[in-house]
Amino acid sequence: MNELTQKLSDQGPRLMRASFRWRDLGDSRWLGYWMVTPAVLALAGLILAPLLYSTVLSTYSWTLLEIRLPKPFVGLMQYSTVAHDPLFGEALKTTGLFVVGTVSVELVLGFLIALALLNIHRGRRLANGIILLPMIVTPVIVALIWRYLLDPQFGLVNYAIHLLGYQQDIPWLGSNSLALPSLIVIDIWEWTPFAILVLHAGMLAIPDDLYEAARVDGAGAWQIARHVILPYLSPLILVVLLLRTMDTYRVFDTIFVLTRGGPGTSTQTVGIYAYENGFVYLNMGYTMALSVVILIAIVVISLFYLRLLQRRPQW
Amino acid sequence: MRFRSFRSVSLLIGLALSLAVVACGGESSSGSPPAPTKAGTPVGKFPGATVNLIRWAGDPWEAATKDAATRWGQTTGGTLNINAIPYENLQTKESLDLSSGTGSFDILYVHPTWFGQYASAGGLQPIDKYLSDGSMNPSGFSSSEYIPSILNQGKFNGTQYCLQDQISTILVAYRTDLYQQAGLSAPTSWTDLLTNAPKLAKPGVAGLAIPGKAIGDVSDIMSSLITAQGTWWFNPQGKASLDVAAATKAVQFYIDAGKLSPKGMLNMHYDDVTTLAAQGGAAQVVTLSTELAWLNDPAKSKTVGQWAYTPLSINGKAGGELIYWNWCINKSSKNPKAAYSFLQWYTGTSEQAKFAPKAATGAATASFYTDQTLAQALPFLPAMQQALANSNAQPSLATWPKLQDQIEHDVQAALSGTTTAAQAAQAMDQQLKSTLGT
């Protein structure tokens, strides 16, 4: 223990405050506080304060053009409207389908591809690089690329299907039943690389001894995957689930560019619905209430995952 | 004493100089020219004044506005900055500027469906006094130069706020070569479009293409179809007045046309169906008149010179929705007179005629439509005039954005077979009644 810390522990925080000197920063317990202060301030200023203000504003009835006018206080009426809004219920269902459809396939596909990569020794880096490409493209650009790929008349996808002998133009984004699955496929194409990246890194971190021990015990490839790799990766799987669920729950850009929630309301997610209410109808009080409800749902889902993460079996 | 006189004279000279500087220095002056300005020339001198304009991005319109801004600046001494942003962000940016009262943008490009929201919130500058002020307009100018039915769209509660341009409507374009090959005569009603479509269709060519994307297209087409039948969504008092039988007929046409259209029409915008037609993929297309220039643009079309045009008609009566954009001045503008000077000049025939052949849009002035050179450059102008002779303007009620969404979803439900035409029309009627009252 150096001289300063000895003095601090002997004479308490009062002296600690009095004896603070910039040059002692690196040695004192102040350092930790100083280092987290900017982050805490930024979080409070940019996230917590607006969040609290939004919650307050959700108890008033007002439109975007009435910011400077007195706003009538309506209490929890907006929340009651949200609870009874059939369009919000529909948007919630669509979002649920989108989240389950994308996250489950991305995870399974990501795991299988990561496993395959583990067994590739030549060209693994190149394969990794190529696989990551969709993830690094801007989502709006991804949407525009797919808009042309899925065009019923001029798109490459229908062209390929025509070559296979099916001569009908398939309206991928222009049909109530196909639009949501098409958007799910696009999201899977874009974000499976994320699951691959995380899970593959996790697989590479598994000690070789474990594989060797399993092989010595007579385990085959499937048994190694099931009893060695999967348990070891469970925390990473939960991280992928958590991040992708949060991300897909608030999906907006791709859907906005491709279908804008249509046809009808078949691809209207909660994000699109909140946007319509806020920036088309300018109904901000209601949109704030919608946003708070959406946020609470994300927090609940995240807490569930985090709890699972804490309960995972320890190696 | 001599010293005091000298000081008084100096003060007077100083005061006179200050007044002169202020008088020449922009907005706080009258902004009026020393002599009457002739038509087609911007009015007023605004040295040092900066005017900010916001509009959606996209050529040839954006380029035309920028070019006009440069010339306006050269004549008046002012500076006009153009902020061209994606259409999707325009309403949000304008709303935030109006609500915060910062006046970042002096001139706003306002869609009719937003106009009611902006005007009712008191965000716009009245321009009645500018329109009637001789010193702010060219010699011989009168607001009667604007077509009254169009100019009136910029009025809210009897006060004029905006001037219009970008006039368009819904029209039908049909392939004359394919009509000739099929031995068909030109369509005169929308039922002709439906009966002729199967005779014109062949592999790779749809008999008819109509957009079905719910981003305003469906509502525009429905508005034209009900206008041709002599009904409208609401009456002059703003109360619901839809004739359900006429709406049912309109939705039924949409359903029948949708069946003849290429697959995926529910996600097709005007751009998509017009591109398809220009590439030879449709024999008839229902689209926005603004898009029709593409059909004869060799850079975008494989079917140049093979098109004729007609309005949407029923029982010998054509109808169309008057589609337009409003140019309005922000209530918080620091340079409203300079802003008006630009708008009065820019919305006039001479400026609009400069880019109309490329843009395929009409002006709000009557003289635009009697210009023979323009008639040659815009072959669909007669059909457009015919449609607009019996037209209703795109609604600008503050409640319209939500109603429009509901109407479009009702039509899409019928197009996808979830409901019938009659059920969709009934649903629209109910929504109109519950929002607007009866």
Side-chain angles (χ1 to χ4, degrees):
Chain A
M1 196 179 284
N2 63 29
E3 192 186 339
L4 175 71
T5 47
Q6 180 64 54
K7 198 192 264 181
L8 287 173
S9 57
D10 292 348
Q11 300 186 29
R14 194 186 168 95
L15 178 62
M16 188 168 75
R17 277 196 294 276
S19 63
F20 172 75
R21 285 175 301 179
W22 282 104
R23 66 170 179 269
D24 297 330
L25 199 62
D27 300 324
S28 75
R29 277 181 288 169
W30 282 99
L31 183 64
Y33 292 109
W34 278 110
M35 290 188 81
V36 296
T37 302
V40 169
L41 287 177
L43 275 174
L46 298 173
I47 297 175
L48 291 177
L51 189 65
L52 287 174
Y53 189 52
S54 299
T55 312
V56 171
L57 287 177
S58 71
T59 58
Y60 292 86
S61 176
W62 60 289
T63 70
L64 188 60
L65 291 164
E66 295 166 346
I67 284 181
R68 289 177 298 172
L69 303 177
K71 303 169 184 64
F73 179 74
V74 293
L76 296 177
M77 196 196 78
Q78 309 275 26
Y79 291 93
S80 164
T81 313
V82 172
H84 296 97
D85 183 349
L87 284 175
F88 179 66
E90 214 173 301
L92 212 53
K93 194 175 133 196
T94 306
T95 310
L97 285 172
F98 186 80
V99 171
V100 172
T102 52
V103 177
S104 57
V105 177
E106 281 167 22
L107 196 64
V108 173
L109 209 57
F111 179 77
L112 293 176
I113 296 173
L115 207 57
L117 279 176
L118 197 65
N119 293 308
I120 295 174
H121 298 291
R122 286 185 64 185
R124 186 194 283 173
R125 280 188 185 173
L126 181 68
N128 268 330
I130 292 170
I131 284 168
L132 290 182
L133 278 177
M135 202 174 77
I136 57 177
V137 180
T138 312
V140 172
I141 304 296
V142 168
L144 290 173
I145 292 169
W146 279 93
R147 187 178 151 187
Y148 291 109
L149 287 174
L150 295 180
D151 187 284
Q153 284 73 40
F154 305 117
L156 204 62
V157 174
N158 273 358
Y159 178 72
I161 290 171
H162 286 187
L163 289 180
L164 294 172
Y166 185 73
Q167 294 305 319
Q168 295 289 317
D169 291 335
I170 303 171
W172 298 106
L173 298 168
S175 142
N176 283 358
S177 53
L178 288 177
L180 188 64
S182 302
L183 292 172
I184 289 173
V185 168
I186 294 168
D187 194 86
I188 290 168
W189 177 84
E190 189 182 6
W191 289 107
T192 300
F194 174 72
I196 299 171
L197 182 75
V198 175
L199 299 181
H200 184 60
M203 287 174 189
L204 289 175
I206 298 175
D208 286 343
D209 310 359
L210 288 176
Y211 292 116
E212 282 165 23
R215 280 193 204 102
V216 167
D217 289 344
W222 164 247
Q223 283 167 315
I224 290 176
R226 166 77 183 80
H227 297 290
V228 177
I229 299 176
L230 260 181
Y232 199 90
L233 288 186
S234 62
L236 288 177
I237 289 173
L238 282 171
V239 168
V240 172
L241 271 175
L242 173 69
L243 295 177
R244 288 306 302 139
T245 303
M246 283 163 62
D247 221 22
T248 49
Y249 192 87
R250 56 185 179 81
V251 64
F252 179 80
D253 33 21
T254 317
I255 298 181
F256 187 78
V257 173
L258 286 172
T259 63
R260 212 165 166 170
T265 52
S266 61
T267 59
Q268 187 161 271
T269 56
V270 286
I272 297 279
Y273 186 62
Y275 169 84
E276 288 283 319
N277 276 280
F279 296 106
V280 178
Y281 312 150
L282 310 181
N283 192 351
M284 296 313 282
Y286 186 61
T287 306
M288 299 285 178
L290 275 176
S291 306
V292 170
V293 172
I294 293 168
L295 180 76
I296 290 170
I298 294 182
V299 169
V300 168
I301 295 167
S302 305
L303 286 175
F304 170 74
Y305 282 135
L306 289 171
R307 209 176 162 83
L308 282 181
L309 202 55
Q310 284 163 351
R311 279 186 184 175
R312 71 185 174 86
Q314 298 295 314
W315 274 74
Chain B
M1 185 69 189
R2 274 178 72 185
F3 175 69
R4 279 183 66 186
S5 308
F6 176 72
R7 204 166 64 172
S8 307
V9 170
S10 305
L11 269 171
L12 279 170
I13 291 169
L15 193 66
L17 279 173
S18 308
L19 282 171
V21 167
V22 168
C24 299
E27 199 52 42
S28 56
S29 75
S30 66
S32 53
T37 310
K38 61 177 183 174
T41 311
V43 176
K45 297 289 175 199
F46 305 96
T50 299
V51 176
N52 292 306
L53 176 152
I54 186 165
R55 63 160 300 145
W56 42 258
D59 285 335
W61 303 279
E62 182 189 339
T65 315
K66 282 181 177 164
D67 174 53
T70 308
R71 286 182 288 114
W72 179 84
Q74 285 162 356
T75 309
T76 64
T79 305
L80 183 57
N81 298 319
I82 308 292
N83 297 273
I85 63 166
Y87 167 78
E88 287 77 13
N89 302 339
L90 187 62
Q91 188 190 10
T92 311
K93 209 154 183 176
E94 289 179 346
S95 302
L96 286 171
D97 191 37
L98 293 183
S99 58
S100 61
T102 48
S104 306
F105 304 109
D106 301 276
I107 300 176
L108 311 166
Y109 210 20
V110 180
H111 191 270
T113 54
W114 314 336
F115 171 66
Q117 293 171 323
Y118 294 3
S120 63
L124 304 177
Q125 176 85 28
I127 58 166
D128 302 271
K129 60 179 184 204
Y130 297 162
L131 277 167
S132 57
D133 183 344
S135 69
M136 294 184 68
N137 295 291
S139 59
F141 170 84
S142 152
S143 60
S144 62
E145 284 185 15
Y146 294 103
I147 297 167
S149 59
I150 300 178
L151 185 65
N152 282 340
Q153 302 313 315
K155 266 190 181 163
F156 188 82
N157 287 342
T159 304
Q160 189 75 39
Y161 289 99
C162 311
L163 299 175
Q164 296 76 24
D165 80 341
Q166 193 92 11
I167 310 300
S168 61
T169 189
I170 301 295
L171 290 180
V172 177
Y174 59 95
R175 287 271 297 273
T176 47
D177 55 331
L178 297 181
Y179 258 75
Q180 211 170 1
Q181 282 168 26
L184 297 167
S185 51
T188 55
S189 72
W190 74 51
T191 47
D192 286 350
L193 303 179
L194 299 177
T195 46
N196 292 344
K199 297 169 194 162
L200 297 162
K202 51 187 180 183
V205 182
L208 177 64
I210 189 168
K213 194 165 185 172
I215 51 171
D217 306 24
V218 174
S219 160
D220 290 340
I221 292 170
M222 277 298 295
S223 294
S224 297
L225 294 170
I226 63 167
T227 298
Q229 296 178 80
T231 183
W232 190 235
W233 306 110
F234 47 84
N235 61 23
Q237 289 73 43
K239 302 289 180 192
S241 66
L242 184 66
D243 176 345
V244 177
T248 306
K249 207 178 218 175
V251 180
Q252 192 56 55
F253 165 76
Y254 224 132
I255 294 171
D256 296 339
K259 286 177 186 160
L260 297 161
S261 268
K263 291 277 175 64
M265 59 86 70
L266 285 176
N267 199 43
M268 283 187 173
H269 184 40
Y270 295 125
D271 297 9
D272 302 307
V273 289
T274 315
T275 304
L276 183 77
Q279 294 300 314
Q284 309 174 103
V285 60
V286 179
T287 190
L288 192 65
S289 56
T290 315
E291 310 272 325
L292 294 174
W294 296 11
L295 299 177
N296 287 317
D297 179 351
K300 290 178 179 169
S301 175
K302 289 180 182 169
T303 52
V304 174
Q306 292 167 348
W307 295 95
Y309 312 92
T310 185
L312 279 168
S313 311
I314 187 78
N315 301 330
K317 203 170 177 188
E321 187 187 37
L322 168 64
I323 300 168
Y324 59 96
W325 275 77
N326 288 298
W327 285 111
C328 313
I329 301 172
N330 192 334
K331 184 75 180 276
S332 309
S333 166
K334 291 160 197 82
N335 295 299
K337 288 183 179 177
Y340 174 79
S341 162
F342 177 74
L343 294 188
Q344 187 280 324
W345 171 68
Y346 186 63
T347 54
T349 300
S350 61
E351 276 309 297
Q352 294 285 314
K354 282 195 173 88
F355 63 89
K358 260 192 178 179
T361 44
T365 46
S367 55
F368 180 93
Y369 297 91
T370 53
D371 188 317
Q372 288 307 309
T373 322
L374 280 173
Q376 280 180 346
L378 302 169
F380 54 85
L381 215 54
M384 189 169 157
Q385 276 181 293
Q386 213 184 328
L388 291 179
N390 173 36
S391 64
N392 280 298
Q394 217 167 23
S396 55
L397 303 171
T399 49
W400 191 253
K402 192 162 191 173
L403 275 171
Q404 177 180 292
D405 269 4
Q406 288 170 333
I407 288 167
E408 296 201 317
H409 288 162
D410 292 334
V411 176
Q412 283 198 330
L415 284 169
S416 51
T418 316
T419 59
T420 64
Q423 286 169 331
Q426 283 290 351
M428 287 173 206
D429 188 46
Q430 286 305 315
Q431 285 144 359
L432 287 163
K433 281 177 177 160
S434 84
T435 307
L436 305 176
T438 51

